[in-house]
Amino acid sequence: MSIKTNLSEIQSQLPSHVSLVAVSKTKPVEDLMEAYESGQRIFGENKIQEMADKHQQMPKDIQWHMIGNVQRNKVKYMAEFVDLIHGVDSEKLLNEINKQAEKHQRTINCLLQLKIAQEDTKFGMTAEAAHTLLESDHFKSLKNIAIVGVMGMASFTENSAQIKEEFTTLKSTFESLKKISPELEIISMGMSGDYPLAIDCGSTMVRVGSRIFGARNYAI
Ligand SMILES: *Cc1c(COP(=O)(O)O)cnc(C)c1O
């Protein structure tokens, strides 16, 4: 199966309100270019340095999404070009993104990462913490960031009833946060193994890697 075929199969399953982030972490630029040449323009990476390297080598109409956990001291390496940061889970991180965005006179779009999985290995804020943040005067004073939605990762399990419950929780948290911040519009949930279910539960953005590019080999 080629990258091009995989992409067009997935695209054919997506409703028009759902966008596809091609998760290209660990994959070589040639693979990303194959996706680019098939029309893909949104790429997701989970390491800032790797994303910055690929950004430099690739066409400039690509939208780069940071989907991994962000170390505050590395925000400066992506502040100039990143299109959306999915994994914002603290006010400290938001402060740093705001500071670096200001240096480049731009506004950086961010998603609040919410903890929906039962496992405690997953990052993310509670719904309460997200409410408190969006209602705070401090948050309102940050002029160079925009919170445009939420992101979540379901538990790593075969139990689709559990995954469905977690996605549904994210959707309802989104609805309640949207009452405070009407500009919220993105629900980033769903990966290779569960994106059809995520879409049924209200996802507007799926992050798909191995289903497009094949299995990742971390030994390389
Ligand atoms: C790697 C990754 C994905 C894509 O995973 P696949 O199972 O390969 O589709 C999606 N979201 C995040 C946050 C990731 O780190």
Side-chain angles (χ1 to χ4, degrees):
M1 285 288 258
S2 73
I3 290 170
K4 187 181 168 140
T5 317
N6 293 342
L7 266 173
S8 61
E9 266 186 24
I10 296 167
Q11 284 289 7
S12 72
Q13 301 165 345
L14 300 185
S16 59
H17 69 277
V18 177
S19 50
L20 173 64
V21 180
V23 175
S24 48
K25 60 193 185 193
T26 79
K27 296 295 175 181
V29 165
E30 301 85 83
D31 289 10
L32 279 70
M33 279 311 297
E34 195 174 329
Y36 180 87
E37 266 140 29
S38 324
Q40 183 65 29
R41 290 295 178 272
I42 309 177
F43 290 86
E45 292 281 336
N46 71 340
K47 297 224 160 56
I48 294 173
Q49 192 58 57
E50 183 175 343
M51 182 171 77
D53 289 347
K54 288 172 173 170
H55 164 255
Q56 208 165 32
Q57 295 173 56
M58 294 186 62
K60 295 299 172 266
D61 60 342
I62 290 175
Q63 296 170 31
W64 292 97
H65 288 199
M66 175 42 56
I67 62 168
N69 303 306
V70 177
Q71 285 173 272
R72 286 205 302 280
N73 61 350
K74 293 191 177 156
V75 172
K76 55 178 175 284
Y77 302 120
M78 65 175 167
E80 191 178 357
F81 70 89
V82 68
D83 194 71
L84 182 64
I85 302 177
H86 290 232
V88 176
D89 65 354
S90 77
E91 191 177 280
K92 276 183 169 173
L93 176 57
L94 212 47
N95 289 342
E96 177 64 14
I97 296 169
N98 186 70
K99 182 175 139 193
Q100 297 299 332
E102 197 177 356
K103 284 187 186 164
H104 296 282
Q105 296 168 320
R106 60 187 296 249
T107 300
I108 296 182
N109 292 325
C110 300
L111 303 180
L112 292 181
Q113 182 169 357
L114 293 164
K115 181 176 156 57
I116 53 170
Q118 320 259 310
E119 309 149 23
D120 40 59
T121 53
K122 297 284 188 324
F123 291 74
M125 314 178 83
T126 62
E128 292 72 31
H131 273 102
T132 306
L133 177 70
L134 291 180
E135 280 173 333
S136 73
D137 290 336
H138 176 70
F139 166 69
K140 288 168 197 156
S141 76
L142 301 176
K143 298 296 179 217
N144 293 77
I145 50 112
I147 304 283
V148 295
V150 298
M151 178 266 207
M153 283 176 87
S155 295
F156 187 70
T157 173
E158 300 284 307
N159 182 347
S160 57
Q162 185 184 340
I163 296 175
K164 185 175 177 187
E165 192 184 313
E166 294 172 359
F167 285 158
T168 305
T169 301
L170 185 60
K171 164 74 172 167
S172 62
T173 303
F174 169 84
E175 295 300 344
S176 72
L177 293 173
K178 196 173 164 70
K179 293 194 179 117
I180 311 172
S181 295
E183 67 280 10
L184 264 54
E185 55 184 56
I186 297 172
I187 304 177
S188 165
M189 62 182 185
M191 317 192 341
S192 291
D194 54 24
Y195 70 88
L197 178 58
I199 292 168
D200 288 346
C201 296
S203 174
T204 69
M205 184 174 275
V206 294
R207 309 177 307 268
V208 179
S210 43
R211 179 75 184 75
I212 299 172
F213 296 105
R216 287 177 292 274
N217 183 354
Y218 285 103
I220 288 172

